[in-house]
Amino acid sequence: MTTEPFDISSWPPSLTPIQLEALTLYATTYALSHGLLYLLPGPQPAIPSAAIHAPFSLFPSPFPRKLFETGKRIQRTYNVLYARIAMDEEFLDRVMGTKTGVGKVDDFIGQLWTGWKQLRDEGLAQHLHLGLFRSDYLLHALSNQPLSIKQVEFNTISVSFACLSQRISELHRYLLSSTQYYNCSPQLKPENLPPNRTISGLAEGLAVGHKAYNVQGSRILFVVQPGERNVFDQRWLEYELLEQHSILIIRQTFEELAHSAIVDPHTYILRVSCSTDIHPSGSIEISTVYYRAGYMPNEYPTPAHYATRFLLERSKAIKCPTIALQLAGGKKVQEVLAQPGVLERFLRDEKRYGKDGIFSEHEVNELRSTFMAMWGLDVGEDLLTADYDSISSGKEGFGLLKARNDAHALVLKPQREGGGNNVYKEAIPAFLNSLPPQERQAWIAMELIIPPEGTGNYLIRAGTIQAESQAAVKADVVSELGIFGYALFGGESREVKEKEVGWLVRTKGKDSDEGGVATGFSVLDSLLLVDS
């Protein structure tokens, strides 16, 4: 007996007003009781005294089971791919450096690359890299073709919302167990809500780095942003590290580390000074530096901030990520990977990686199938008025002219993380007119992913002390799937130890182009696996 494919546009199921109010109360009180929290907006006191629940969806969002399994499967290929990119200095110099790459036109990238190059010339004290990764996807729906997943981006620094994503997954399971969602849909059953263990998975990744450092009494340093509202997403990792791995952490900002971080000039051991009231020795040896900050230019307002980053990089501590791995996550690298033969360089080259290190043609093609078309904007001013039809791909001028002509179906991306940085569709021509020619190399054009139409959900956002919380608001939505992984790699063997470790879903109103939760565009969500 065959089952009819699930119609994603039929979501969410219908509820009566009384059912909706009851579910909203169940959900918000569960969120507040189980640490699905943000600190309040505004300046943060030294000791927090109030919090609100993070924004979330009332229902899990439908997602094709086979495509979810595909995303989990290829994460392990992506883990190895980006590890190998980070170890390929020649490739990163060419693509991201200040001589031929993005670094010559993007000051932020240029500063990071220049500091990394100087440290390489001096001789790096630590050759191991640690990465906590997240690969983000949208469903792609073309007429008369089956649904597919297409990659939005691959994140190599400060991947967030892993812990709160586990909590929202547990919230939806709780609603199903406690209310059966009032039997509003036969799809809502336990076997369609996949388990999510991102807290233990990412903590395991950090513990792998800590254990590779192998010094008793050392701790993991969390480099954090001042006034961080999303602190609970980080604290759950801290608790897991202590409870399951007996590893302690210390949290400091770049500003604090400028005064507290010391690298021994002979051993390159990184120590963070502290009061003897906190630690008897007055300093703590650091095994692993975990960045939840440092991915945006505004986090380096002075040369001293860059100096602090390079001081940490100079040390013997294992960095998550290294500057090399942060550069590997640049959008320009994503674009170059889509060019013919580049994936084969990293995944199919037996001379580089040996017979046991190469991936099958099928595995490479499966990963490549998640790419959208991408190209760079680095073109010459003299071809701005050239005839579009006379220019073929790869010639000077093609990228910019194609972006102008196809703007309605594109997004422009800079080398930035964190949301709110992209330029979309109708806004592209005016932006291109204002973009100095020397800055074009820092941007890529990417064809827009076309998500399925008609999917909805109820979105719940908390208010503040001054304003009451919103009720659940029904909206047409788009959901983005993120798959997490970790990798420890480098050293003499250049071996990559990696694992796929969980997932998240972020859901936004369909009229919003951006997708960040912390930036206010999206809510946290979880999966309802369906057969499509």
Side-chain angles (χ1 to χ4, degrees):
M1 180 178 176
T2 59
T3 304
E4 284 293 317
F6 178 78
D7 180 8
I8 288 179
S9 66
S10 67
W11 205 252
S14 298
L15 295 170
T16 68
I18 292 175
Q19 290 171 339
L20 179 60
E21 183 178 1
L23 280 175
T24 302
L25 178 60
Y26 276 120
T28 54
T29 51
Y30 183 96
L32 292 167
S33 300
H34 290 79
L36 187 58
L37 301 173
Y38 272 180
L39 293 179
L40 289 170
Q44 300 299 324
I47 300 177
S49 59
I52 56 176
H53 67 74
F56 62 87
S57 66
L58 191 59
F59 285 93
S61 285
F63 200 91
R65 192 182 311 271
K66 288 183 179 179
L67 296 181
F68 173 60
E69 294 299 329
T70 297
K72 290 177 62 180
R73 182 171 59 251
I74 63 175
Q75 182 62 35
R76 302 199 64 183
T77 311
Y78 269 118
N79 291 342
V80 174
L81 172 63
Y82 275 86
R84 289 177 176 175
I85 292 170
M87 291 187 287
D88 193 326
E89 295 176 356
E90 184 276 329
F91 177 83
L92 286 176
D93 287 346
R94 180 171 61 85
V95 176
M96 302 297 281
T98 58
K99 295 181 180 179
T100 60
V102 171
K104 71 180 182 181
V105 296
D106 185 307
D107 182 65
F108 175 55
I109 298 299
Q111 292 269 17
L112 291 177
W113 182 87
T114 300
W116 175 51
K117 178 66 166 61
Q118 182 177 341
L119 292 170
R120 280 190 284 155
D121 292 343
E122 295 172 1
L124 295 172
Q126 179 57 261
H127 293 278
L128 289 176
H129 309 240
L130 178 62
L132 299 187
F133 302 140
R134 194 186 72 226
S135 187
D136 294 332
Y137 305 94
L138 289 172
L139 289 175
H140 189 46
L142 292 179
S143 299
N144 302 317
Q145 293 188 27
L147 285 174
S148 60
I149 53 170
K150 296 294 183 179
Q151 187 183 64
V152 178
E153 61 185 359
F154 192 90
N155 303 276
T156 62
I157 182 169
S158 188
V159 295
S160 58
F161 293 107
C163 300
L164 295 193
S165 292
Q166 178 173 325
R167 294 289 175 248
I168 184 63
S169 176
E170 292 163 352
L171 182 152
H172 287 151
R173 282 184 167 274
Y174 159 74
L175 291 178
L176 179 60
S177 297
S178 61
T179 71
Q180 291 74 52
Y181 275 101
Y182 303 112
N183 299 311
C184 63
S185 169
Q187 297 292 332
L188 286 163
K189 48 189 177 182
E191 56 266 37
N192 290 343
L193 273 61
N196 195 4
R197 297 290 180 264
T198 48
I199 297 175
S200 61
L202 291 193
E204 177 185 310
L206 290 170
V208 165
H210 175 83
K211 290 167 185 174
Y213 187 83
N214 195 29
V215 173
Q216 188 173 4
S218 60
R219 299 188 184 187
I220 295 176
L221 169 66
F222 281 30
V223 182
V224 298
Q225 295 175 332
E228 175 64 79
R229 292 185 62 210
N230 190 27
V231 66
F232 300 99
D233 189 53
Q234 301 167 16
R235 289 291 187 183
W236 285 115
L237 279 180
E238 175 185 344
Y239 306 148
E240 183 77 9
L241 284 166
L242 178 60
E243 294 166 8
Q244 300 302 321
H245 302 278
S246 300
I247 299 171
L248 292 168
I249 74 110
I250 180 171
R251 297 169 55 87
Q252 290 206 4
T253 64
F254 276 125
E255 288 80 1
E256 292 168 327
L257 289 165
H259 302 287
S260 66
I262 303 167
V263 174
D264 186 286
H266 304 292
T267 65
Y268 294 97
I269 290 172
L270 172 62
R271 294 185 181 276
V272 175
S273 60
C274 59
S275 168
T276 54
D277 292 339
I278 302 296
H279 195 275
S281 70
S283 69
I284 298 169
E285 183 173 351
I286 300 302
S287 68
T288 307
V289 181
Y290 172 46
Y291 288 98
R292 289 299 291 256
Y295 53 87
M296 291 287 286
N298 61 11
E299 296 181 90
Y300 301 85
T302 70
H305 290 76
Y306 284 105
T308 300
R309 176 68 187 273
F310 300 146
L311 178 72
L312 302 180
E313 193 78 12
R314 180 176 285 110
S315 75
K316 184 182 174 182
I318 293 171
K319 273 71 68 176
C320 180
T322 56
I323 293 175
L325 188 51
Q326 181 173 349
L327 293 173
K331 303 300 185 295
K332 188 65 177 179
V333 171
Q334 184 184 8
E335 179 246 312
V336 172
L337 286 174
Q339 297 174 9
V342 180
L343 281 182
E344 284 75 9
R345 170 194 174 109
F346 292 105
L347 299 176
R348 294 277 291 159
D349 190 335
E350 187 176 324
K351 289 183 179 180
R352 284 172 176 259
Y353 305 112
K355 289 184 178 180
D356 294 336
I358 65 170
F359 288 77
S360 70
E361 186 175 353
H362 171 75
E363 288 171 315
V364 173
N365 288 336
E366 187 173 46
L367 187 145
R368 182 182 279 116
S369 73
T370 66
F371 292 173
M372 294 297 288
M374 287 173 273
W375 60 89
L377 296 184
D378 38 332
V379 297
E381 185 72 18
D382 56 324
L383 290 178
L384 282 175
T385 59
D387 177 35
Y388 176 68
D389 292 332
S390 69
I391 298 176
S392 62
S393 179
K395 291 184 180 179
E396 189 180 27
F398 172 79
L400 185 67
L401 292 173
K402 184 170 175 60
R404 289 185 184 279
N405 281 268
D406 298 346
H408 64 284
L410 299 179
V411 54
L412 300 185
K413 296 183 175 184
Q415 311 303 307
R416 297 291 180 267
E417 305 297 333
N421 302 296
N422 300 333
V423 181
Y424 292 85
K425 296 180 287 193
E426 289 77 13
I428 289 175
F431 174 78
L432 291 176
N433 291 337
S434 68
L435 184 67
Q438 65 271 19
E439 294 182 17
R440 292 175 190 150
Q441 189 175 358
W443 290 78
I444 70 166
M446 175 177 162
E447 287 188 359
L448 283 169
I449 303 168
I450 303 172
E453 292 282 345
T455 305
N457 211 321
Y458 290 92
L459 311 183
I460 302 175
R461 291 183 170 89
T464 65
I465 297 298
Q466 292 78 26
E468 292 185 4
S469 299
Q470 282 185 303
V473 176
K474 189 176 182 181
D476 290 335
V477 298
V478 174
S479 295
E480 184 172 318
L481 171 69
I483 304 291
F484 291 98
Y486 74 74
L488 179 73
F489 56 95
E492 291 184 6
S493 71
R494 300 175 72 84
E495 179 186 4
V496 180
K497 299 177 181 177
E498 55 76 34
K499 192 174 182 180
E500 175 267 310
V501 293
W503 51 271
L504 68 72
V505 181
R506 292 171 296 176
T507 291
K508 63 184 180 181
K510 73 169 187 177
D511 295 327
S512 172
D513 289 318
E514 296 289 353
V517 177
T519 47
F521 299 107
S522 296
V523 304
L524 295 168
D525 198 348
S526 76
L527 289 173
L528 175 74
L529 298 182
V530 297
D531 297 312
S532 62

